[in-house]
Amino acid sequence: MSTEEKPAAAPRSLAEALRGRDDAALAALLRSRPDLVTPVPTDLTQLATRAGTRASVVRALERLDRFTLQTAQALAVAADPASYGELHGLMAGDDRDPAVSAALPHALGVLREQALVWGGDDRLRLVRTARELLAPSPQHPSPTGLGPTVREATAGMSPGRIQEIVATAGLPSTHDSVSAVAALTALFDDPARMSALLDGAPAESVEVLERLVWGPPYGQVTADPAPRLRWLLDRGLLLPTAPGTVVLPREVALRLRAGRAHRAVEPSPPPVEAAATHRPQVVDATAAGQAYTALSTVEELLKDWHEGGPAVLRAGGLSVRDLKRTATALDVPEPVAAFWVELAYAAGLLASDGGGGTSHALKAVGDDERYAATPAYDQWRERPDAERWAHLATAWLAATRTAGLVGGRDAKDRTLSALGPGLDRSAAPEVRHRVLALLAGLPEGTAPVPESVLARLRWERPPRGGGRGSAGTASPAAESAHRTPDGRGAGAYGSVAGGVRGAEGSSVEGDGEDLRARIARWTLSEAEMLGLTGRGALSAHGRALIGAPAARRAEAEPEGPGDKLPVHHRPAPAPAPLSPAERAAAAAAAARLLAPLLPEPLDHVLLQADLTAVAPGPLERPLADVLGVLADVESKGGATVYRFTPGSVRRALDAGRTASDLHAFLAAHSRTPVPQPLAYLIDDVARRHGHLRVGAASAYVRCDDDAVLSEILADRRAAGLGLRRLAPTVLAAQAGPAGLLEGLRAMGFAPAAESAEGDVVIARADAHRTPPRTPPAPVPDGPPVPDETLLTAAVRAVRAGDLASTAPRKPAAGGEPGRGELPRTTAAETLATVQAAVLTGEALWIGYVNAEGGASQRVIAPVRVEGGFVTAYDHTSDEVRTYPLHRITGVAELADDEG
């Protein structure tokens, strides 16, 4: 047989297996495990080492779907190495479930792609770290519920006791313990002989085995076991592991399970079921109404905080009392108020003023740090409604701050407050996007059953610690609860006589539901409030926002109560993560779809004789702003009712309006004549407005009519202001300007603030702003997925580095360095060798240390040597580079290529 016809040798390590992959397979590995590419490995050996570290393996396992993770767990309890047939038997059982058989090659391919499994089908190997994490042990029970093998369980047993068990089981005695254990293992692995052994077992003994078969496999026995237990112990069907503790050997459990490693294998994801179906037009219209309400709610929130909102707690965040006040002002429950506050913060419309900010002249210099609108809020208000909504929705999708956690407790048992620390959850953006993608996979107008969405997410990403049927890896908290009676923990052990729950049937989620499931529930409700969904179904603009392709719109059945029906269709693939440019394009597309559905703003109101104005719809921005200052909102809904009061009219006058301005404004924007009571109210308040002047002394009151000042001094309600007369027309006060203004207004006067120059201070409702602030940056969930450019460069660099590290080279005078070591030569030898290579055109292997101290190996073809630098073509980076000679640790000539 010629050299070309010889089959490739089986890889002996993960590095060799990676060396046999093509560039596309290496790029797929780096794409699926982005932590491996930061920083770029120098060669394939380093890549394999990094892929086997505990942190990287744990991260990779946590991102496997349930069936793929179950496949890895089955390999962890199989022999090392295992054949594909053995793995197939553990997954599909003796009856060879066809669904499992069909799905297993794909799951094994995913494990291979992510470098968690390597080797051919005849020698499958789980990477060592993954086996250590997933293999069963007393300290770390496996989700399979299997225990140790017979060989592992009998490791500390006396040879005489092993021979007794072999004899009682009906096997011939052997000359040593190793062969005795092998004979016992062969008995348990033989279905026919195992069935014959169990046929002779007492019914009570079989019942004990049934309690332990699906795990936990450990049980407790007394010093004098009952006859049903003694029968099992004498035949090795139960083996002692510690005083008072027995275990069901893995081989026995697998025979009783018909060969299955898992009680419930889920080769395919559960479908997302339909709760109801509506006409898509109804869904879009409902979602558009919710979107407009979202805009109004955020505006109302920030309008309430225009002059400086609640104070910032010392530890950061909003106090419980201020959150209640905000909820009352918005007329929503407190959790909903926390959502709107966090949304405005994530969108960059709300922030802390840092104890300063831009405010009106009467704000004291030493005021506490408070929350207020940012300058970006003013720019946001000027944009079209659809674009403003897209800005909010995009910020919500990408935010890692999770409003649903407000009111809960952190790890130190401290209350989590709105706008405070501790609310970031890096998984939130991914879960939100995935939930919306699942909704996008349903026919248009279809609302899902929430529990089916959660079940799908649990299959795609099993919770850590597992739930019912879960195959998740145990968290440290769960692991610490499983210790044996001899110091290794008792949580995983049950009484043999009292019954044992299987590991796959228990729940260790702590608070009843894992974080991803809670985020998914919050996503469904928040998407409805924000207007991405309507009546539970994803809208057209919501579909565009996540980059999902537009589905073909078909007329659905007329909406009705709708029975819960399963959706029989192929789920749409999840949209890939969008780049920043794609996100901007998706937001613009969503805004275009939403714009025609939003109500057109009106330029008029209806004035009524009872000092109210009715806005039959949304108002244009200038009209809404002025009317919001001139009147108070009395009721909201399809039409908004505004009420004019002396206080609201005075507020408009404080903002710089005159009585004639207000009359002209109302006449221009009312479809009905201005009622006489309203005209009289404006004139009466304007006549008294500014008669008193308040300024900063600490504060003073100035008035041309000394009789009015005498009246104020005589009023008992002014006692708390600390007033005294400085001149016939001037009073000094101990209270500050803001307190003095409020006190005089409470007494029925209409004072105006004035500056140090004596001019009237115009107090606008939007006067207080924070300094420029950037929105909170999302907390990344690990390294970002590399783009194609980085993947291509990384694969090329790893290939070149591997070529440099594995290239055959001639030994230097001091002998060839060991694998992974840099060559070492003197400066004179280095210079001479490089100069010779320039003349001969040969390539060299060099060791190089960069300016940061990072060492690497490279293969270069020197072109020129001058001025202490060598210019060469670097095969590692595939470019011409210049290297300082003093940074080259040594050189070696490459061996002649015999191939």
Side-chain angles (χ1 to χ4, degrees), residues 768-866:
H768 186 62
R769 290 291 181 267
T770 71
R773 297 281 193 248
T774 57
V779 176
D781 185 19
V785 177
D787 56 23
E788 293 303 319
T789 303
L790 177 57
L791 284 176
T792 302
V795 170
R796 187 193 315 174
V798 171
R799 288 281 191 206
D802 198 60
L803 172 64
S805 63
T806 59
R809 52 253 184 191
K810 296 178 181 180
E816 183 177 1
R819 178 70 65 189
E821 297 180 9
L822 297 181
R824 299 287 179 180
T825 56
T826 64
E829 290 172 336
T830 298
L831 179 59
T833 306
V834 172
Q835 289 175 335
V838 172
L839 299 176
T840 61
E842 294 180 351
L844 297 176
W845 174 61
I846 69 170
Y848 181 72
V849 179
N850 61 21
E852 289 76 28
S856 61
Q857 305 175 56
R858 299 176 180 274
V859 174
I860 65 172
V863 177
R864 182 174 61 255
V865 180
E866 61 182 8

Side-chain angles (χ1 to χ4, degrees), residues 7 145 150 311 457 557 580 608 682 688 895:
V150 173
L457 291 177
E557 293 295 328
Q608 302 185 113
I682 294 173
R688 296 184 294 115

Side-chain angles (χ1 to χ4, degrees), residues 219-565:
Q220 294 176 343
V221 296
T222 61
D224 184 18
R228 63 181 182 277
L229 299 178
R230 174 57 60 189
W231 193 92
L232 298 172
L233 289 167
D234 289 343
R235 289 157 181 80
L237 297 174
L238 290 180
L239 294 173
T241 60
T245 302
V246 295
V247 67
L248 181 68
R250 186 182 306 171
E251 294 85 352
V252 176
L254 286 174
R255 283 302 101 212
L256 295 174
R257 296 179 177 193
R260 290 184 180 272
H262 298 276
R263 186 171 196 170
V265 181
E266 300 180 57
S268 58
V272 179
E273 301 175 352
T277 302
H278 310 283
R279 291 174 51 242
Q281 293 82 357
V282 173
V283 170
D284 292 347
T286 304
Q290 289 295 115
Y292 188 81
T293 301
L295 295 177
S296 302
T297 304
V298 172
E299 281 197 59
E300 185 178 355
L301 166 68
L302 294 176
K303 186 181 297 183
D304 189 47
W305 292 5
H306 269 175
E307 298 182 359
V312 181
L313 293 175
R314 181 176 301 176
L318 203 62
S319 69
V320 175
R321 179 179 300 177
D322 286 328
L323 181 61
K324 289 181 179 179
R325 289 173 179 169
T326 302
T328 302
L330 299 179
D331 194 22
V332 295
E334 290 176 36
V336 177
F339 166 70
W340 293 119
V341 169
E342 284 289 340
L343 177 63
Y345 180 55
L349 309 180
L350 170 68
S352 163
D353 63 6
T358 56
S359 64
H360 54 76
L362 295 179
K363 181 177 176 62
V365 175
D367 276 2
D368 293 334
E369 185 177 3
R370 311 187 77 83
Y371 289 108
T374 64
Y377 170 65
D378 298 316
Q379 302 171 9
W380 176 76
R381 292 178 69 223
E382 299 303 321
R383 297 167 63 182
D385 287 347
E387 292 183 13
R388 294 195 296 139
W389 175 86
H391 179 79
L392 292 179
T394 303
W396 171 76
L397 268 178
T400 55
R401 292 186 62 84
T402 310
L405 296 171
V406 173
R409 296 280 179 173
D410 63 8
K412 297 183 179 179
D413 200 35
R414 296 173 299 194
T415 302
L416 296 170
S417 59
L419 301 179
L423 295 184
D424 282 291
R425 296 296 182 271
S426 57
E430 179 196 350
V431 175
R432 293 191 192 109
H433 192 279
R434 186 56 189 147
V435 168
L436 296 181
L438 290 176
L439 269 60
L442 297 173
E444 285 196 87
T446 301
V449 176
E451 291 303 324
S452 69
V453 175
L454 300 184
R456 177 63 169 267
L457 291 177
R458 282 192 291 266
W459 186 91
E460 294 179 347
R461 188 73 63 82
R464 295 187 65 184
R468 185 168 186 82
S470 170
T473 55
S475 64
E479 292 173 355
S480 64
H482 293 81
R483 296 188 180 164
T484 62
D486 57 353
R488 294 173 293 173
Y493 293 78
S495 168
V496 172
V500 180
R501 289 192 306 161
E504 297 190 10
S506 61
S507 176
V508 290
E509 292 174 358
D511 56 359
E513 193 170 45
D514 67 288
L515 177 64
R516 290 176 61 87
R518 286 186 289 157
I519 293 177
R521 289 188 185 276
W522 296 331
T523 297
L524 292 173
S525 60
E526 291 169 1
E528 189 77 12
M529 290 190 293
L530 198 50
L532 277 86
T533 60
R535 304 197 178 189
L538 189 64
S539 62
H541 49 274
R543 198 179 295 267
L545 188 70
I546 63 170
R552 181 178 60 86
R553 174 157 292 184
E555 289 296 326
E557 293 295 328
E559 58 177 313
D563 296 329
K564 295 183 179 180
L565 302 174

Side-chain angles (χ1 to χ4, degrees), residues 665-718:
F665 169 80
L666 293 175
H669 293 93
S670 176
R671 290 291 178 88
T672 58
V674 178
Q676 193 176 56
L678 179 56
Y680 284 168
L681 173 65
I682 294 173
D683 292 338
D684 182 59
V685 175
R687 186 166 44 253
R688 296 184 294 115
H689 183 264
H691 195 49
L692 296 177
R693 299 294 181 90
V694 173
S698 173
Y700 64 85
V701 181
R702 181 171 66 83
C703 183
D704 295 335
D705 188 349
D706 59 348
V708 175
L709 297 183
S710 299
E711 179 185 349
I712 293 174
L713 286 172
D715 197 320
R716 287 183 298 177
R717 292 175 293 178

Side-chain angles (χ1 to χ4, degrees), residues 39-95:
V40 176
T42 57
D43 53 34
L44 290 172
T45 300
Q46 188 180 92
L47 176 62
T49 302
R50 192 179 298 176
T53 59
R54 182 181 179 88
S56 182
V57 170
V58 168
R59 183 176 178 83
L61 292 175
E62 288 178 347
R63 279 156 177 74
L64 298 177
D65 63 58
R66 176 163 295 168
F67 182 70
T68 306
L69 185 55
Q70 287 180 325
T71 303
Q73 291 163 351
L75 274 174
V77 298
D80 185 26
S83 65
Y84 181 83
E86 183 179 355
L87 173 63
H88 182 250
L90 289 171
M91 293 297 294
D94 295 342
D95 56 353

